[in-house]
Amino acid sequence: MSIDMGNFTPLFSLVGGVVIGVAAAVLILFNGRIAGISGILGGILGASRDEAGWRAAFIVGLIAAPVLASMLGKPVMPDIQAGWGELIVAGFLVGIGTRYASGCTSGHGVCGISRGSVRSLVATATFMAAGFVTVFVLRHITGGWGG
């Protein structure tokens, strides 16, 4: 394994991590809510007007942040080596996983682990293991994405 030094951005990564941590802390301190994306998005439809407002603002912020970042500098475009069908199936499977795990990687990994939740530690370890196995199988056993 090697690091692509042309795309290695430790400062931006550090700043991004700090911003995520601060946003999660602000949400729990001022709103009493955990910054779990699946819960925020999943609760937007049946929420009261007050609840829907902060949830919508959070989702808009998630979409606006990379747009703003690309306007401030070089746009960051990930190299996704999968087709639309694979992305849709993957998204569906992630959605099922978040329902079974009672939350997503952001809720468990960022907020749950920082609160010392054993359930979140187990959920995050399971998410990571499933991701590692999936990438290994798709890249080394099946011959690549869509192969």
Side-chain angles (χ1 to χ4, degrees):
M1 182 168 91
S2 64
I3 296 175
D4 178 5
M5 296 308 282
N7 292 312
F8 183 57
T9 58
L11 180 61
F12 286 124
S13 300
L14 176 64
V15 170
V18 169
V19 170
I20 289 170
V22 169
V26 166
L27 187 62
I28 201 161
L29 287 173
F30 292 107
N31 206 3
R33 300 295 187 167
I34 293 175
I37 307 309
S38 63
I40 292 171
L41 184 61
I44 203 167
L45 294 177
S48 67
R49 186 172 177 91
D50 290 341
E51 284 283 308
W54 76 262
R55 290 174 188 268
F58 195 94
I59 300 299
V60 167
L62 287 176
I63 296 166
V67 171
L68 178 62
S70 69
M71 291 187 324
L72 295 175
K74 183 178 113 181
V76 178
M77 297 301 295
D79 180 24
I80 300 174
Q81 300 173 356
W84 283 106
E86 292 158 323
L87 292 174
I88 290 169
V89 169
F92 182 71
L93 291 173
V94 167
I96 290 172
T98 62
R99 296 303 289 176
Y100 279 120
S102 298
C104 58
T105 51
S106 58
H108 284 298
V110 175
C111 300
I113 291 176
S114 67
R115 290 189 345 259
S117 168
V118 174
R119 183 179 81 150
S120 291
L121 182 63
V122 170
T124 303
T126 303
F127 295 151
M128 297 299 292
F132 294 153
V133 168
T134 300
V135 169
F136 181 82
V137 167
L138 288 174
R139 291 200 174 166
H140 299 289
I141 295 177
T142 66
W145 297 102

